[in-house]
């Protein structure tokens, strides 16, 4: 699976949009981009994933650049409960796709 | 919503004890996994199962075994617990098709003293 790079930490004001970037310049054509978050002492929570097109669900939006070398997770109206470590992962669709490699992620702190 | 339930959130066991960690999923998923998560080391795959009674070793299977007698249940067994197995253990599940999402349980914090 392709390596991803994310900023170590970010701050966001409560109620504002949080935009979390991720670089995955070596991603291959069949690799999806997945986002998870982990609140301290809990298991990773799935947020969203995509292959080529932008995606939106009730939690977030995922914007993938046309060349697929980077993406942005958008939390449209951040709340204090969104404070967590956010992980961007690229993952293939076959073979050893069970192997999730979580990097260090981005610690998002939402401030009142 | 997908639910992956781990039976114990916090456990304290003694060195040499046999430890069972249980996991149940309610989405009829084919695949189930056990990971451990340690500071600075990220998630590491211990074992996974792609069907009842089937199992495959992950990256760090030594000191662990697993059991999957029913599709919804996947157990991790520490045959003789050691202090270096103190960790957070995460169970996860996914369906069998390509691009499937992996869903995690809440985690089990195991301390071996």
């Amino acid at each position: 699976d392709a390596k991803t790079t994310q900023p170590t930490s970010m701050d966001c004001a409560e109620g504002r949009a949080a935009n979390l970037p991720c670089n995955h310049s070596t991603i291959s054509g069949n690799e999806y981009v997945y986002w998870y978050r982990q609140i301290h002492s809990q298991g990773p929570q799935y947020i969203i994933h995509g292959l080529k097109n932008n995606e939106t669900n009730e939690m977030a939006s995922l914007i993938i650049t046309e060349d697929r070398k980077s993406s942005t997770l958008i939390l449209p109206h951040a709340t204090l409960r969104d404070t967590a470590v956010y992980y961007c992962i690229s993952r293939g669709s076959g073979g050893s796709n069970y192997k999730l490699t979580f990097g260090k992620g981005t610690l998002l702190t939402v401030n009142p | 919503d997908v639910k992956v339930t781990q039976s114990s959130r916090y456990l304290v066991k003694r060195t040499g004890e046999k430890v069972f960690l249980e996991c149940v999923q309610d989405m009829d998923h084919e695949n189930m996994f056990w990971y451990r998560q340690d500071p600075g080391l990220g998630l590491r795959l211990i074992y996974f199962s792609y069907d009842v009674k089937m199992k495959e070793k992950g990256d760090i299977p030594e000191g662990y075994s697993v059991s999957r007698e029913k599709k919804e249940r996947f157990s991790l067994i520490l045959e003789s617990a050691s202090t270096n197995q103190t960790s957070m253990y995460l169970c996860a599940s996914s369906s069998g098709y390509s691009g499937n999402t992996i869903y995690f349980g809440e985690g089990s914090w195991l301390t071996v003293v």
Side-chain angles (χ1 to χ4, degrees):
Chain A
D1 294 338
K3 178 178 165 58
T4 61
T5 55
Q6 300 175 251
T8 303
S9 63
M10 294 181 64
D11 285 338
C12 177
E14 189 178 16
R16 304 296 294 269
N19 297 284
L20 292 93
C22 178
N23 287 320
H24 31 79
S25 58
T26 61
I27 196 168
S28 62
N30 69 344
E31 286 183 325
Y32 290 78
V33 178
Y34 276 80
W35 283 84
Y36 286 81
R37 71 181 182 185
Q38 190 169 23
I39 298 168
H40 183 61
S41 301
Q42 297 183 19
Q45 178 188 22
Y46 165 75
I47 302 172
I48 199 167
H49 74 285
L51 185 62
K52 294 180 183 178
N53 300 320
N54 298 337
E55 302 287 344
T56 295
N57 63 21
E58 65 278 3
M59 287 183 69
S61 295
L62 174 59
I63 309 298
I64 303 173
T65 58
E66 196 168 338
D67 62 8
R68 301 206 332 118
K69 292 186 177 182
S70 66
S71 61
T72 301
L73 178 75
I74 301 171
L75 307 178
H77 304 288
T79 70
L80 299 179
R81 287 182 295 180
D82 292 323
T83 292
V85 178
Y86 287 76
Y87 297 99
C88 167
I89 300 155
S90 62
R91 178 170 159 241
S93 59
S96 61
N97 67 347
Y98 49 85
K99 289 196 177 189
L100 281 179
T101 302
F102 280 62
K104 289 185 170 20
T106 297
L107 172 60
L108 174 68
T109 303
V110 180
N111 300 305
Chain B
D1 282 351
V2 174
K3 190 105 172 132
V4 180
T5 303
Q6 295 182 229
S7 57
S8 304
R9 282 285 278 147
Y10 301 96
L11 307 93
V12 180
K13 298 292 182 180
R14 294 193 181 279
T15 300
E17 274 193 79
K18 191 169 186 176
V19 181
F20 293 85
L21 299 178
E22 307 284 344
C23 175
V24 176
Q25 51 94 3
D26 66 357
M27 283 301 292
D28 201 36
H29 282 167
E30 289 80 9
N31 301 327
M32 294 190 75
F33 314 86
W34 276 105
Y35 291 85
R36 63 178 282 180
Q37 185 174 28
D38 301 285
L41 297 177
L43 261 70
R44 293 181 290 168
L45 181 66
I46 305 172
Y47 268 98
F48 79 101
S49 168
Y50 52 89
D51 202 350
V52 175
K53 296 190 188 296
M54 307 304 290
K55 62 185 179 184
E56 293 274 350
K57 292 181 180 179
D59 298 319
I60 51 163
E62 296 78 20
Y64 303 95
S65 62
V66 289
S67 172
R68 193 164 179 205
E69 297 296 319
K70 293 185 177 182
K71 191 175 185 181
E72 68 271 18
R73 189 178 298 270
F74 193 35
S75 302
L76 179 69
I77 303 152
L78 286 67
E79 298 291 344
S80 177
S82 63
T83 54
N84 63 11
Q85 291 178 310
T86 291
S87 185
M88 181 163 81
Y89 290 87
L90 290 162
C91 176
S93 74
S94 72
S95 67
Y97 68 89
S98 293
N100 46 43
T101 298
I102 295 179
Y103 295 94
F104 288 85
E106 285 292 294
S108 297
W109 287 89
L110 172 66
T111 301
V112 183
V113 297

